[in-house]
Amino acid sequence: MTEELNQVEVRSFQVGDKVKGQVTKVEEKQVLVSIENSKIDGIVPISELSSLHVEKASDVVSEGEELDLEVLKVEEEAIVLSKKKIDAEKAWEDLTEKFQSGAIFDAQVKEVVKGGLVVDLGIRGFVPASLVESHFVEDFSEYRDLTLSFKIVELDKEKNRLILSHRAVVEQEKGKQKRAILDAVQPGKVVEGTVQRITDFGAFVDIGGIDGLVHISQLSHQHVDKPSDVIEEGQKVTVKVLSVDRDNERISLSIKETLPGPWSNILEKAQKGSVLEGTVKRLVSFGAFVELLPGVEGLVHISQIAHKHIATPFEVLKEGQKVKVKVLEVNESEQRISLSIKELEDKPEEETYELPEESKGFQLGEVIGDMLKNLKS
């Protein structure tokens, strides 16, 4: 009689019915549940517990837990139920809403597989390796069981396809940080940064989440042929903000502006009366410009080049020539230095004409007259 009643009650269920059940026993490969408002037990196979692969049923459910289930099969004395179908149905509704709104949500990484990560959201979500981080990751093993923030980038219920991206969240956050920095940074501000990238025309420096460009002309007070000659990637630097283009998200920076200028303390470096060695940089009609220190030139006026009269500096000097000079005057405020080369050279003796002994006592005119006669004869 009991069997007949059970069969009658079993037949009252239809495939697709939604029921609630309480877990009464967890076996290795299946779960037994008591169906609400029924004396019939149901069976949930391990394959119907989750959208992901499950090794043990106890990894998913525990005794006493209440589950929402769907009827898969109606057998003579038992009902086969599915948990994952209900979970998936609820998940698709929730995920569709998240996809349409662009929502960010947290989820735990359940598996690390070839090509990416797997997340259980009621349905299987896949995170391709290229969408995990904004930088390259060689080994994803440490990501297992991590809880990360995700955005849905592809959703197709018919193909049961759900693609997630953690990288999109990271880049979105970076974008917010970048905008905040752009709004906060002001020209003239001095900040610390790290050299991220070096190019032929300068260096990109990270100043806290956004890169600014230090043009090659702003790397040093000295002439720079290649940025890599004076700076390297990863180097910590102090930079001054020159300009901010918020529309195009560009920041111009200077390292040179934070360094002491070549003329600072010039009175100590080139003291009046001191002798220095320099290089002739430019020759002009009125003299020669000699570089004493990087970025510091002094003028040797044409009158200070040689003791003898010269028409142009080109007669005795050439560009690139090393010369010793004496500092005559220094004007730090106007950045001018007067130099002399001839002050370091011996003054040639003046040629004098000695009168013959016998001519002494005669008038100069008489002597010259006699000399002229001798020349004529």
Side-chain angles (χ1 to χ4, degrees), residues 4 7 48 54 69 78 92 201 231 245 253 257 324 374:
E4 291 178 359
Q7 290 176 359
E48 292 298 323
V54 177
L69 306 163
W92 281 117
F201 54 84
I231 204 167
D245 184 345
L253 305 170
E257 291 280 324
K324 288 201 173 192
N374 291 333

Side-chain angles (χ1 to χ4, degrees), residues 2-198:
T2 302
E3 290 183 7
E4 291 178 359
L5 288 173
N6 284 346
Q7 290 176 359
V8 169
E9 192 157 358
V10 166
R11 286 195 291 269
S12 67
F13 289 96
Q14 300 292 323
V15 173
D17 286 350
K18 308 294 191 294
V19 299
K20 286 187 179 294
Q22 187 176 41
V23 178
T24 57
K25 188 176 182 181
V26 179
E27 298 179 350
E28 186 176 355
K29 298 301 180 182
Q30 66 181 18
V31 173
L32 302 182
V33 298
S34 62
I35 299 173
E36 188 177 67
N37 300 322
S38 172
K39 296 178 182 180
I40 300 298
D41 287 337
I43 299 171
V44 185
I46 193 171
S47 61
E48 292 298 323
L49 285 173
S50 172
S51 59
L52 304 182
H53 174 71
V54 177
E55 290 290 340
K56 296 184 298 181
S58 57
D59 291 338
V60 181
V61 297
S62 56
E63 285 189 20
E65 187 176 350
E66 286 197 353
L67 306 176
D68 289 319
L69 306 163
E70 181 176 321
V71 177
L72 282 185
K73 294 179 184 177
V74 179
E75 298 180 344
E76 288 188 5
E77 296 184 3
I79 298 176
V80 180
L81 304 166
S82 173
K83 175 181 178 294
K84 76 176 184 182
K85 289 198 72 173
I86 295 294
D87 290 344
E89 191 174 308
K90 290 178 181 177
W92 281 117
E93 292 178 11
D94 179 53
L95 294 171
T96 299
E97 186 177 327
K98 283 183 168 64
F99 181 52
Q100 291 173 346
S101 64
I104 295 172
F105 54 91
D106 293 341
Q108 187 181 45
V109 176
K110 293 295 185 180
E111 296 178 28
V112 175
V113 296
K114 185 177 180 181
L117 311 176
V118 174
V119 177
D120 183 12
L121 294 171
I123 57 176
R124 183 182 187 274
F126 181 61
V127 190
S130 61
L131 298 183
V132 177
E133 299 286 0
S134 55
H135 58 270
F136 174 74
V137 178
E138 186 172 354
D139 183 11
F140 288 104
S141 59
E142 293 184 1
Y143 281 74
R144 184 181 175 87
D145 297 329
L146 278 185
T147 297
L148 301 175
S149 298
F150 296 101
K151 283 185 76 171
I152 301 170
V153 294
E154 188 177 340
L155 186 74
D156 191 328
K157 186 176 180 179
E158 291 183 4
K159 294 181 180 179
N160 198 38
R161 183 177 174 83
L162 173 63
I163 305 298
L164 308 173
S165 174
H166 175 62
R167 176 179 175 177
V169 178
V170 171
E171 292 180 345
Q172 184 172 312
E173 286 303 312
K174 281 185 178 179
K176 289 179 181 178
Q177 291 176 8
K178 191 174 183 180
R179 176 49 58 184
I181 295 169
L182 278 168
D183 291 340
V185 72
Q186 297 294 331
K189 191 174 182 180
V190 176
V191 296
E192 299 299 315
T194 304
V195 179
Q196 295 294 311
R197 213 161 33 95
I198 295 176

